[in-house]
Amino acid sequence: MSGVRCQICGGPADRTRDGVLWLVDARPDHLRPRDEKTAHPPVCRPCAHRSVTACPHLRRAVTALRVRHFAPVGVNGILHRPAGRAAPEPVDVGWFAYDDPRIPWVRAHQLVVRLTGFAPVHLTTPEPRSPET
């Protein structure tokens, strides 16, 4: 995610002057413009097309976005608590913000980023490509 690579093929994510291409598993009317979070990396256009037809989860609800700004805000993972001399015990699973005081006890599985400055796009409409910046 931090390398802005496609979550499917690992190549560069699709980028135009309007932003980086992301697939979000929500309908456009369910997006939070100032606080949309995702643990899924961006995608390249060819993989975006394949994903929306091949992935049953995305067939239920997906919105393609051009995202201008994104920043890490936390992690998905398992929260543990100390257990004396024994190994720490898992107590919760979910997303934890970096400023959560419990974050040192989280075993992270996925980075979570906040998406802002985005606009929905149609994958079927050709978009002009611009050089990567």
Side-chain angles (χ1 to χ4, degrees):
M1 176 114 55
S2 62
V4 194
R5 313 289 293 176
C6 174
Q7 68 174 298
I8 309 301
C9 70
D14 193 78
R15 184 186 301 255
T16 69
R17 68 180 179 273
D18 294 323
V20 177
L21 183 61
W22 241 279
L23 296 180
V24 179
D25 55 349
R27 293 193 325 252
D29 57 324
H30 288 172
L31 296 174
R32 297 171 302 272
R34 294 191 178 129
D35 195 34
E36 188 63 39
K37 295 181 197 78
T38 185
H40 303 292
V43 293
C44 66
R45 262 182 101 77
C47 288
H49 286 281
R50 286 192 295 273
S51 295
V52 296
T53 57
C55 177
H57 183 72
L58 291 178
R59 277 187 254 149
R60 287 191 292 265
V62 65
T63 301
L65 299 175
R66 284 288 174 191
V67 179
R68 290 182 184 253
H69 307 286
F70 47 94
V73 292
V75 296
N76 279 336
I78 302 171
L79 175 65
H80 292 77
R81 72 170 161 232
R85 292 181 175 254
E89 299 172 353
V91 293
D92 196 6
V93 175
W95 108 267
F96 300 88
Y98 284 141
D99 60 358
D100 188 317
R102 303 170 299 169
I103 198 78
W105 289 97
V106 175
R107 182 170 186 183
H109 295 152
Q110 293 177 305
L111 179 67
V112 175
V113 295
R114 176 175 289 127
L115 309 176
T116 56
F118 58 79
V121 295
H122 295 284
L123 290 176
T124 56
T125 305
E127 295 181 78
R129 292 208 31 102
S130 62
E132 288 191 35
T133 55

